Amino acid sequence: MHKSRQARFGLLIEAYAADLYRYAAWLCSDRAMAEDLVQETFMRAWHSLDSSKHKGAAKFWLFRMLQREHARQSNRSQAQRAEMGEGVLADVGRYDGNAEAVDLRRALAALPPEHREPLVLQVIGGFSCEEIAGILDTASSDVISHLFRARKQLREAVSNERLDRANNKVMA
Amino acid sequence: MNCLDFRRRWLTVPCAGDLALAQHERVCSGCRQFARRGLVFERRLREAVSVEAPPGLTERIRQRRDIGEMVHKHQARPLRYAVMISLVLAAALVSLLAYDFLAPDPREAEFHRVAEHLSLFPAGARKDMLQESGAGEHGGDHTIVPGS
């Protein structure tokens, strides 16, 4: 019983830890905090593994739990919250230094959280609008609206950046 | 489906792959271009969002789970002792009360002993003895029925 529980837990970690970390990094913009958030989420998952109502939707359940945990931590230490995106942006050079990726990441970090969160959930988790609404505890019509605005703003921001860079090249 | 609907759908759930989107894309070159650019944008977006997970993350999660379990066990031990001690005390209390309730009252035993003793005498002698002891002076009803 205990072994099968451990095996199930191991599978959850292998399957979702990286995606949860990515989501957490965009939520709290700090690598250490993101890792702590993921670990805390898995601790909660371990304790409620047997009583889980979402046995068929472990991914949804974990993302939802992480989102709740983040909300709890944010309420606890609102004063300590870093400026959104700075922590994630600081890591850009480590693994993808091309200008377009930097622009896109900067634009993403500059989005209001209510636009960014559904978009990140959709891109990282591959969730449907209904699932995102369930994770964020909001209406799916709101999710659709946020997704639309987020992509629109990102496309505009990236094309503006590209235009600026082209102008700078011409000026030089 | 018109161009506005097409683009709105694309910006909400790209690559949805439904029939209406595909049909419109076939007949509208502007939206076809829009979708093509959209696919490139989505690929870049996925790359931009993909923050690299730190090495050893899964191991650290397992370690934290193990530490959490150990702490949980150590915290549970005093609680287990407290429960056991409470149970022993409760059992002791119950047995004490039961003994008190079930044990014969010494006064009642004495009464029965005297009653048995008096029943050996005839009724007249018994009345005299009671009057002598003062029990019958106040007219009290001290009828002794042995075995009652």
Side-chain angles (χ1 to χ4, degrees):
Chain A
M1 174 72 185
H2 188 67
K3 271 196 173 170
S4 83
R5 194 167 184 255
Q6 275 192 333
R8 268 166 60 208
F9 186 69
L11 285 175
L12 284 183
I13 296 174
E14 294 299 333
Y16 303 121
D19 280 347
L20 281 169
Y21 175 81
R22 284 179 195 113
Y23 177 49
W26 282 104
L27 269 184
C28 57
S29 79
D30 181 279
R31 283 188 166 262
M33 273 172 70
E35 184 166 340
D36 192 52
L37 204 54
V38 174
Q39 288 186 10
E40 194 57 42
T41 302
F42 274 108
M43 282 298 286
R44 283 179 185 274
W46 170 253
H47 288 307
S48 52
L49 201 59
D50 296 326
S51 61
S52 163
K53 290 176 200 166
H54 301 286
K55 275 186 179 156
K59 188 175 167 187
F60 172 84
W61 175 58
L62 286 168
F63 271 80
R64 193 179 149 100
M65 217 172 339
L66 189 137
Q67 210 278 336
R68 298 279 183 287
E69 186 57 33
H70 174 251
R72 251 193 302 274
Q73 287 188 7
S74 303
N75 286 344
R76 233 181 286 154
S77 58
Q78 227 158 18
Q80 295 171 3
R81 283 175 77 184
E83 193 58 37
M84 203 46 141
E86 278 181 2
V88 175
L89 281 171
D91 291 323
V92 166
R94 277 174 51 179
Y95 55 94
D96 193 351
N98 74 66
E100 278 185 14
V102 175
D103 290 347
L104 200 51
R105 206 164 288 196
R106 192 173 290 139
L108 192 60
L111 284 177
E114 65 270 22
H115 292 351
R116 184 177 49 240
E117 279 189 38
L119 185 66
V120 170
L121 278 170
Q122 192 186 48
V123 176
I124 291 174
F127 291 112
S128 67
C129 294
E130 287 74 22
E131 286 170 324
I132 295 169
I135 292 169
L136 299 175
D137 252 342
T138 184
S140 75
S141 56
D142 288 345
V143 171
I144 290 170
S145 156
H146 290 314
L147 285 171
F148 172 75
R149 286 181 190 165
R151 277 205 173 78
K152 199 161 174 279
Q153 283 183 29
L154 278 183
R155 283 181 140 192
E156 282 168 8
V158 170
S159 58
N160 286 344
E161 292 270 358
R162 209 178 291 159
L163 212 62
D164 286 347
R165 262 203 314 280
N167 284 344
N168 288 343
K169 269 185 189 169
V170 171
M171 296 288 275
Chain B
M1 178 179 277
N2 59 27
C3 296
L4 201 65
D5 285 339
F6 180 88
R7 291 171 191 220
R8 186 170 280 276
R9 285 272 284 279
W10 241 97
L11 288 174
T12 309
V13 189
C15 326
D18 70 44
L19 200 63
L21 281 177
Q23 277 174 348
H24 182 80
E25 205 179 317
R26 256 202 305 274
V27 294
C28 178
S29 62
C31 287
R32 199 162 43 241
Q33 281 290 319
F34 181 86
R36 207 167 289 161
R37 280 198 307 272
L39 281 174
V40 175
F41 175 80
E42 286 304 314
R43 188 171 47 76
R44 286 185 183 148
L45 182 61
R46 269 197 300 278
E47 285 167 6
V49 166
S50 294
V51 179
E52 200 180 325
L57 175 68
T58 56
E59 274 314 301
R60 284 195 292 280
I61 294 169
R62 283 197 179 91
Q63 279 169 7
R64 182 153 168 188
R65 191 267 324 265
D66 293 343
I67 292 168
E69 282 291 284
M70 263 165 53
V71 169
H72 185 68
K73 273 182 191 163
H74 281 285
Q75 279 174 344
R77 202 169 290 166
L79 186 74
R80 216 176 299 152
Y81 286 143
V83 169
M84 276 162 63
I85 290 167
S86 309
L87 283 174
V88 169
L89 285 175
L93 190 70
V94 166
S95 53
L96 200 70
L97 288 172
Y99 176 77
D100 204 35
F101 183 73
L102 295 173
D105 187 354
R107 283 175 305 175
E108 199 178 335
E110 178 69 13
F111 175 80
H112 282 292
R113 202 176 56 77
V114 170
E116 208 172 304
H117 185 70
L118 283 175
S119 67
L120 298 173
F121 294 92
R126 221 161 42 205
K127 200 174 175 184
D128 292 344
M129 283 165 77
L130 283 170
Q131 273 174 355
E132 260 175 47
S133 68
E137 276 178 10
H138 307 293
D141 187 15
H142 289 281
T143 314
I144 295 169
V145 183
S148 65

